[in-house]
C-alpha cells in the first residue's frame, strides 16, 4: 500500500509568480513601470498576486492569507474584492479620478482571470520573460524580491546581506550597494527604491 | 470558447451503465431496466453505477467508513486500483482496518495492499487545507498508479472550518473525478442537529445536490418498550439502517434496509426495515409479554 503524505503537482508559488508577471504585462511591461517611476508597485503587486492565488486556488480565508503573507486581513480583503473593471478603466485612462479600489489587487485579478480563461495558470512551464527583463536591465528587482521572500521587515544590513549574498546588480556587488544604504529598511518597496537610488549615483 | 453538442455526438462519450461491486447487498439495490421478449424487466446493476460519484452520509459511528473500506477492499481484491484519500484517520490506522477487513472478507491482502494507494491528508495541513494541492496530488496518483476508483473519507474534512465554500470545494472534486473518469465515494459527515435520516450534510446541501446519488446510513438506539416491541431488539441495542436516497444515473431500491456491522468489521445488509419489523416484531411482542408476566 503506497502512502502519499506530501503534496505533489501544482505549486501556489509558481501560480502567484505567473499572475505577477501577467500583471506586469497588462501594465505594458516592466519598462513602462520604470518610465512612470512605478517600480515601487512591484512588492504590492507581488503581494496582490499571492492574495488572489491563495484565495481562488487554495481557498484560504482572509485570516489565513493575512497570516501567511504578514499583511492585515483588511488588506487581503481589499485586494480580493477590488473591482477589476474599474481598475482596468483607470489604468487605461478612461477614468479621471483614481478609484477607491485596491489598484494592485484589481490588476492581479485581471491577470488571474486572463490566465485562467486562457488555461495558462495550470500549465506546467512558467512563462517568465526573463530575456526581456534582462535586456531592460531591471531583472534585479524581481531577483531581489524572490531572495527576500518571507523576510520580516524592518530589516538590518546583516539580514539583507545574508539573503542577497553573491548577487551582482548592474555590475556592482550587492555588498557594495548594501554598504551605502541607510538602515533599518522598512519594507520591500523601500529596499528596491534605495537600491535603485544607489545604482543611479 | 463555449460550444454546444448535437445529442447524437454524445453517444460515443456516454458511459456504459454497469455496476462496480461494493461487496455488500447494495450491489443488488441499483438496477437498470432492459427489454426482454417485449417486456421490460429490472436487472440488478451489480454495484455502484460505473463512473458515478456517490455520497455516503450519516451521523458519527453509523458505518460510513466501514462501507467505504469494504468497497476499497472489494475493488482492490478484484484487481482494480483504488485511491483512498484519508482525511480523518492517519494512514497507518487505515492500513490496520483494511487488513482486518480483507481477512474477514476472505480477500487476498497482498493483492489489496498492491492495489490501494493512499493519500494521507490527515497529517498534512497543505493537503487538507489547499484543495488545489490535493487535486494535483490526486491527479498524480491517478495518472501514475492507473487508478479507477476514488474514495474521499471525508469530503467534509476538507471544508470543516469554511462551510461557506462547501459547494465550491465539493464541485471541484466532483468535476475532477468526472474529468479523470473515476467511480467515486465521498464520505460526508452529518451534524446531530440535522435530521439523521435525511441526505443533508455539514455545509448545508453541498454534497447531496452535486453528486450523482446519496446513500444514507443511520443508527437508532432501542430505548423504549415501544422500540423493543417494534424492532424485536433488546433495550440498549442499536438498530442500523441504510437507504439509497437518490441516484440520477439509474434506478434503485428506495426502501430503508436494516444492516449490521459484524464483529469482523464488515457491513451485512439483512432485510428491508418493513420486513425486519414484521419478522422481529413478533418475537419482540412475545418477549414483551413474558417480561410483563414476570413483572
Amino acid at each position: 500500500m503506497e502512502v502519499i503524505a506530501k503534496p505533489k503537482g501544482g505549486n501556489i508559488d509558481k501560480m502567484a509568480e505567473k499572475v505577477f508577471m501577467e500583471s506586469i504585462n497588462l501594465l505594458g511591461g516592466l519598462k513602462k513601470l520604470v518610465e512612470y517611476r512605478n517600480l515601487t508597485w512591484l512588492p504590492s503587486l507581488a503581494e496582490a498576486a499571492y492574495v488572489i492565488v491563495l484565495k481562488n486556488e487554495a481557498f484560504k480565508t482572509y485570516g489565513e492569507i493575512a497570516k501567511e503573507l504578514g499583511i492585515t486581513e483588511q488588506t487581503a480583503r481589499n485586494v480580493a474584492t477590488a473591482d477589476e473593471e474599474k481598475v482596468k478603466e483607470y489604468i487605461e485612462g478612461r477614468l479621471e479620478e483614481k478609484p477607491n479600489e485596491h489598484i494592485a489587487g484589481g490588476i492581479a485579478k485581471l491577470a488571474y482571470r486572463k490566465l485562467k480563461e486562457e488555461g495558462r495558470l495550470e500549465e506546467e512551464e512558467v512563462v517568465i520573460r526573463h530575456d526581456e527583463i534582462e535586456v531592460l536591465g531591471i531583472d534585479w528587482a524581481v531577483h531581489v524580491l524572490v531572495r527576500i521572500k518571507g523576510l520580516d521587515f524592518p530589516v538590518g544590513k546583516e539580514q539583507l546581506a545574508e539573503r542577497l549574498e553573491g548577487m551582482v546588480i548592474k555590475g556592482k556587488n550587492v555588498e557594495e550597494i548594501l554598504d551605502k544604504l541607510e538602515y533599518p529598511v522598512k519594507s520591500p518597496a523601500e529596499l528596491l527604491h534605495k537600491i535603485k537610488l544607489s545604482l543611479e549615483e | 470558447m463555449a460550444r454546444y453538442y448535437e445529442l447524437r455526438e454524445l453517444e460515443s462519450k456516454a458511459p456504459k451503465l454497469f455496476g462496480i461491486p461494493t461487496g455488500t447487498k447494495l450491489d443488488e439495490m441499483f438496477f437498470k431496466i432492459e427489454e426482454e421478449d417485449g417486456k421490460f424487466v429490472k436487472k440488478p446493476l451489480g454495484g455502484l453505477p460505473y463512473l458515478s460519484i456517490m455520497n455516503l452520509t450519516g451521523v458519527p459511528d453509523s458505518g460510513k467508513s466501514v462501507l467505504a473500506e469494504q468497497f476499497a477492499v472489494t475493488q482492490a481484491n478484484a484487481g482494480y486500483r483504488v485511491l483512498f484519500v484519508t482525511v480523518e484517520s492517519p494512514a497507518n490506522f487505515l492500513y490496520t482496518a483494511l487488513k482486518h477487513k480483507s481477512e474477514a472478507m476472505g480477500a487476498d491482502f497482498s493483492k489489496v495492499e498492491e492495489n490501494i494507494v493512499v493519500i494521507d491528508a490527515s497529517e498534512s495541513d497543505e493537503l487538507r487545507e489547499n484543495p488545489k494541492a490535493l487535486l494535483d496530488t490526486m491527479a498524480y496518483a491517478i495518472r501514475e498508479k492507473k487508478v479507477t476508483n476514488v474514495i474521499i473519507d471525508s469530503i467534509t474534512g476538507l471544508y470543516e472550518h469554511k462551510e461557506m465554500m462547501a459547494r465550491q470545494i465539493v464541485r471541484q472534486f466532483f468535476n475532477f473525478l468526472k474529468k479523470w473518469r473515476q467511480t467515486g465515494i465521498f464520505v460526508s459527515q452529518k451534524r446531530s442537529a440535522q435530521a439523521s435520516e435525511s441526505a443533508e450534510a455539514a455545509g448545508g446541501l453541498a454534497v447531496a445536490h452535486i453528486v450523482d446519488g446519496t446513500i444514507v446510513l443511520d443508527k437508532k438506539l432501542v430505548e423504549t418498550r415501544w422500540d423493543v416491541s417494534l424492532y424485536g431488539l433488546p433495550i440498549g441495542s442499536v438498530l442500523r439502517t441504510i437507504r439509497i436516497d437518490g441516484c440520477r444515473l439509474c434506478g434503485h431500491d428506495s426502501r430503508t434496509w436494516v444492516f449490521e456491522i459484524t464483529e469482523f468489521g464488515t457491513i451485512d445488509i439483512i432485510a428491508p426495515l418493513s420486513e425486519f419489523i414484521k419478522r422481529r416484531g413478533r418475537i419482540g411482542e412475545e418477549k414483551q409479554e413474558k417480561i410483563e408476566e414476570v413483572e
Side-chain angles (χ1 to χ4, degrees):
Chain A
M1 197 167 89
E2 185 178 340
V3 177
I4 302 169
K6 285 186 179 164
K8 289 184 187 283
N11 186 324
I12 294 292
D13 290 343
K14 275 189 182 165
M15 282 192 273
E17 206 174 336
K18 276 189 190 177
V19 172
F20 175 67
M21 294 312 296
E22 190 62 32
S23 301
I24 291 172
N25 288 341
L26 283 178
L27 291 165
L30 269 179
K31 191 177 175 188
K32 196 164 179 185
L33 276 184
V34 175
E35 279 170 9
Y36 289 104
R37 308 221 165 262
N38 280 331
L39 197 60
T40 51
W41 281 20
L42 287 175
S44 171
L45 206 52
E47 199 173 87
Y50 261 103
V51 171
I52 299 303
V53 170
L54 288 171
K55 185 76 197 153
N56 294 290
E57 294 292 318
F59 298 101
K60 298 275 185 186
T61 62
Y62 292 124
E64 289 166 340
I65 295 172
K67 206 172 160 192
E68 198 165 329
L69 299 179
I71 56 176
T72 65
E73 267 191 59
Q74 193 53 46
T75 305
R77 195 183 303 271
N78 290 345
V79 169
T81 59
D83 183 339
E84 64 260 49
E85 289 308 323
K86 270 203 179 135
V87 171
K88 192 176 179 187
E89 283 177 27
Y90 173 67
I91 57 175
E92 285 174 353
R94 288 187 281 135
L95 216 58
E96 281 181 17
E97 281 185 29
K98 188 181 171 190
N100 210 11
E101 305 294 328
H102 191 287
I103 303 290
I107 295 164
K109 278 178 84 175
L110 284 169
Y112 171 79
R113 202 172 69 190
K114 191 163 186 275
L115 288 169
K116 197 83 179 160
E117 280 172 3
E118 293 172 7
R120 286 194 286 137
L121 192 69
E122 315 269 336
E123 278 173 9
E124 291 286 319
E125 82 280 12
V126 183
V127 192
I128 302 178
R129 294 154 73 180
H130 279 302
D131 299 349
E132 182 187 322
I133 298 166
E134 270 180 49
V135 169
L136 292 169
I138 44 182
D139 60 317
W140 63 267
V142 179
H143 292 145
V144 167
L145 286 176
V146 170
R147 292 272 193 113
I148 62 169
K149 193 180 155 192
L151 200 59
D152 285 331
F153 281 83
V155 288
K157 188 179 163 188
E158 278 179 19
Q159 288 157 291
L160 285 173
E162 196 182 310
R163 288 291 187 102
L164 303 178
E165 191 188 350
M167 268 188 87
V168 177
I169 301 175
K170 290 201 166 180
K172 287 185 186 173
N173 286 331
V174 78
E175 289 77 15
E176 195 184 323
I177 297 168
L178 291 179
D179 280 342
K180 292 180 189 166
L181 306 188
E182 278 180 29
Y183 298 94
V185 179
K186 287 181 201 148
S187 65
E190 192 182 285
L191 175 65
L192 292 178
H193 186 65
K194 283 183 170 173
I195 294 177
K196 187 169 167 269
L197 291 180
S198 155
L199 292 170
E200 286 169 359
E201 275 175 14
Chain B
M1 198 174 74
R3 63 158 298 185
Y4 63 87
Y5 296 97
E6 299 285 347
L7 190 57
R8 72 173 65 85
E9 284 180 67
L10 296 171
E11 191 187 352
S12 58
K13 292 179 184 170
K16 290 194 170 39
L17 187 57
F18 63 91
I20 305 295
T22 63
T24 69
K25 208 177 171 63
L26 262 179
D27 300 351
E28 297 162 32
M29 290 157 68
F30 290 95
F31 59 80
K32 58 181 170 181
I33 306 287
E34 277 183 3
E35 198 181 339
E36 259 180 23
D37 304 327
K39 283 183 186 172
F40 289 100
V41 287
K42 258 202 232 177
K43 287 210 165 166
L45 216 54
L48 305 178
Y50 170 60
L51 299 188
S52 65
I53 313 295
M54 300 299 290
N55 171 31
L56 200 55
T57 189
V59 293
D61 187 42
S62 51
K64 305 179 293 291
S65 297
V66 176
L67 182 52
E69 286 163 13
Q70 198 157 334
F71 173 66
V73 169
T74 306
Q75 284 302 305
N77 190 48
Y80 298 103
R81 288 285 171 92
V82 179
L83 172 61
F84 204 115
V85 181
T86 176
V87 184
E88 315 295 341
S89 182
N92 44 341
F93 287 88
L94 180 67
Y95 181 90
T96 312
L98 292 173
K99 191 169 183 203
H100 286 158
K101 253 176 212 71
S102 298
E103 284 163 7
M105 292 164 66
D108 177 354
F109 186 61
S110 63
K111 219 169 171 186
V112 171
E113 210 179 17
E114 190 189 323
N115 288 327
I116 296 184
V117 184
V118 178
I119 293 181
D120 189 353
S122 70
E123 292 182 15
S124 162
D125 287 348
E126 176 70 353
L127 286 171
R128 209 172 48 249
E129 305 283 331
N130 180 352
K132 175 78 186 140
L134 180 54
L135 287 170
D136 286 329
T137 309
M138 286 170 68
Y140 164 84
I142 292 170
R143 197 175 52 231
E144 301 294 317
K145 312 292 172 193
K146 311 277 181 277
V147 165
T148 56
N149 300 293
V150 173
I151 294 160
I152 303 180
D153 186 6
S154 69
I155 189 95
T156 329
L158 301 177
Y159 54 84
E160 57 193 3
H161 59 288
K162 36 190 168 192
E163 290 187 4
M164 294 293 284
M165 289 171 175
R167 280 191 77 89
Q168 206 178 346
I169 289 173
V170 174
R171 172 68 70 187
Q172 262 206 325
F173 281 87
F174 177 80
N175 288 347
F176 172 87
L177 294 190
K178 289 289 179 196
K179 179 182 153 195
W180 286 91
R181 294 180 70 79
Q182 299 291 308
T183 304
I185 285 184
F186 288 169
V187 174
S188 71
Q189 299 161 1
K190 204 184 309 219
R191 289 172 171 172
S192 53
Q194 289 161 336
S196 62
E197 75 287 358
S198 74
E200 284 176 300
L205 297 165
V207 192
H209 277 247
I210 292 169
V211 293
D212 297 310
T214 297
I215 299 166
V216 184
L217 283 80
D218 196 14
K219 63 173 186 180
K220 179 176 171 49
L221 184 66
V222 174
E223 51 188 351
T224 64
R225 284 185 171 194
W226 165 250
D227 290 340
V228 172
S229 138
L230 183 66
Y231 303 119
L233 293 171
I235 209 146
S237 56
V238 174
L239 176 83
R240 296 180 187 275
T241 59
I242 186 167
R243 182 171 59 86
I244 301 171
D245 190 65
C247 178
R248 50 171 79 114
L249 299 183
C250 67
H252 62 87
D253 190 316
S254 54
R255 291 173 295 178
T256 299
W257 286 66
V258 174
F259 77 93
E260 273 178 7
I261 297 178
T262 66
E263 53 189 341
F264 304 110
T266 55
I267 297 263
D268 183 17
I269 300 177
I270 303 164
L273 182 60
S274 55
E275 279 177 28
F276 183 85
I277 287 174
K278 265 188 219 165
R279 217 184 321 149
R280 301 296 294 269
R282 280 197 294 275
I283 304 166
E285 276 168 21
E286 285 163 17
K287 275 186 190 165
Q288 193 62 37
E289 279 166 15
K290 277 183 190 166
I291 293 167
E292 279 166 9
E293 273 172 26
V294 172
E295 281 175 353

